[in-house]
């Protein structure tokens, strides 16, 4: 018979299972590693863990975040080692990856500031018409338009 | 039961980026002091600039008083 631990133990186990899931482990592997009766039991424990921790967030999103946090933690450890050993090229490589992971986390959490678009209307319609008229006149020789004036037909005069 | 705290996430991410920037700046100083490869120094400077850009992107803008 499976021993039933305290609530704290149960939650800690579910949290570990969630982290393993975040690392991409299969449900059966998680069940084997953490002693769940079945893969379904492991899945339910992880779902309950997510529901407790972040009720508003989706499961897959939360799982992605867990995975990225672990990756980031590992990368920071690598960065510390690279810094300690004084290998600047390795510091640069770790920096690239840390920034990439951090950017993904920020996107998942919706932390990027929205892009602001300033629309500055500098011309009124009449100013634009004046500009076009001046440009047209400037393009003509002697400032004269050679055109035929056609009178509007009076209202009601429909051609039969 | 704890909900998703966007401000805590933001602070955490900004903190990480600052740590990263500090390490990069220290590395750049070491590279420059040792007179190492100039390309390495330029690459570190680029990394610092990109880190600052990302930090700025996730930092909420202060609204000017009108």
């Amino acid at each position: 018979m499976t021993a039933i631990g305290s609530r704290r133990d149960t939650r800690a186990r579910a949290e570990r299972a969630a982290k393993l899931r975040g690392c991409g482990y299969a449900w059966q592997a998680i069940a084997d590693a953490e002693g769940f009766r079945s893969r379904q039991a492991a899945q339910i424990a992880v779902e309950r863990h997510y529901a407790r921790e972040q009720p508003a967030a989706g499961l897959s999103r939360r799982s992605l975040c867990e995975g990225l946090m672990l990756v980031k933690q590992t990368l920071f450890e690598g960065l510390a080692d690279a810094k300690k050993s004084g290998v600047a090229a390795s510091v640069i490589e770790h920096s690239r990856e840390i920034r990439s992971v951090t950017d993904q986390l920020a996107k998942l959490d919706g932390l990027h500031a929205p892009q602001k678009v300033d629309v500055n209307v500098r011309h009124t319609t009449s100013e634009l018409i004046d500009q076009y008229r001046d440009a047209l006149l400037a393009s003509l020789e002697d400032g004269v338009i050679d055109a035929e004036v056609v009178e509007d037909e009076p209202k009601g005069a429909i051609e039969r | 039961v704890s909900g998703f705290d966007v401000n805590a996430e933001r602070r955490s991410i900004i903190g990480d980026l600052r740590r990263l920037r500090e390490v990069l700046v220290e590395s750049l100083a070491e590279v420059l002091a040792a007179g190492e490869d100039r390309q390495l120094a330029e690459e570190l400077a680029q990394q610092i600039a990109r880190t600052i850009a990302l930090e700025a992107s996730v930092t909420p803008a202060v609204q000017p008083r009108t």
Side-chain angles (χ1 to χ4, degrees):
Chain A
M1 187 174 169
T2 309
I4 300 171
S6 68
R7 180 180 288 184
R8 185 183 294 177
D9 292 342
T10 306
R11 290 191 173 185
R13 185 169 73 149
E15 189 179 345
R16 288 195 302 273
K19 284 185 176 172
L20 288 174
R21 185 64 183 167
C23 288
Y25 281 81
W27 290 116
Q28 188 59 58
I30 295 168
D32 293 343
E34 290 297 332
F36 289 100
R37 278 176 303 161
S38 63
R39 59 197 169 114
Q40 287 85 359
Q43 190 171 358
I44 289 166
V46 170
E47 284 173 4
R48 284 183 181 160
H49 168 72
Y50 288 151
R52 270 196 306 274
E53 294 298 313
Q54 293 199 0
L59 268 179
S60 57
R61 179 186 158 282
R62 190 60 202 152
S63 177
L64 277 172
C65 284
E66 293 280 1
L68 288 173
M69 294 291 276
L70 287 169
V71 170
K72 194 164 73 165
Q73 187 182 333
T74 309
L75 285 169
F76 262 111
E77 286 166 8
L79 178 73
D81 290 342
K83 177 75 174 58
K84 205 179 287 178
S85 56
V87 184
S90 183
V91 169
I92 290 168
E93 277 304 311
H94 280 89
S95 159
R96 270 200 201 103
E97 292 305 315
I98 287 171
R99 208 177 43 253
S100 168
V101 168
T102 306
D103 189 30
Q104 288 170 23
L105 272 168
K107 282 175 183 163
L108 280 166
D109 289 335
L111 298 181
H112 282 289
Q115 283 193 334
K116 190 178 175 185
V117 180
D118 277 330
V119 180
N120 189 3
V121 180
R122 295 181 180 179
H123 300 286
T124 63
T125 311
S126 58
E127 282 171 348
L128 281 173
I129 290 170
D130 288 345
Q131 281 180 20
Y132 289 141
R133 189 189 58 198
D134 292 344
L136 178 65
L137 290 173
S139 69
L140 295 169
E141 288 180 14
D142 305 326
V144 177
I145 302 172
D146 184 16
E148 185 182 351
V149 177
V150 180
E151 295 290 338
D152 275 349
E153 287 186 10
K155 285 182 182 175
I158 300 169
E159 196 175 328
R160 293 179 192 277
Chain B
V1 176
S2 60
F4 175 66
D5 184 348
V6 70
N7 288 325
E9 293 292 324
R10 194 188 299 279
R11 280 196 297 273
S12 166
I13 278 181
I14 290 171
D16 286 343
L17 289 172
R18 282 182 184 163
R19 277 167 57 202
L20 174 60
R21 182 155 52 94
E22 281 168 16
V23 172
L24 287 169
V25 169
E26 284 173 15
S27 291
L28 177 61
E30 287 168 9
V31 166
L32 290 174
E36 285 184 47
D37 189 0
R38 184 174 175 80
Q39 194 180 342
L40 208 58
E42 285 177 2
E43 185 64 37
L44 277 165
Q46 277 184 18
Q47 293 296 312
I48 293 166
R50 287 174 187 159
T51 305
I52 291 170
L54 181 56
E55 195 180 323
S57 177
V58 297
T59 304
V62 177
Q63 295 295 323
R65 289 186 179 183
T66 53

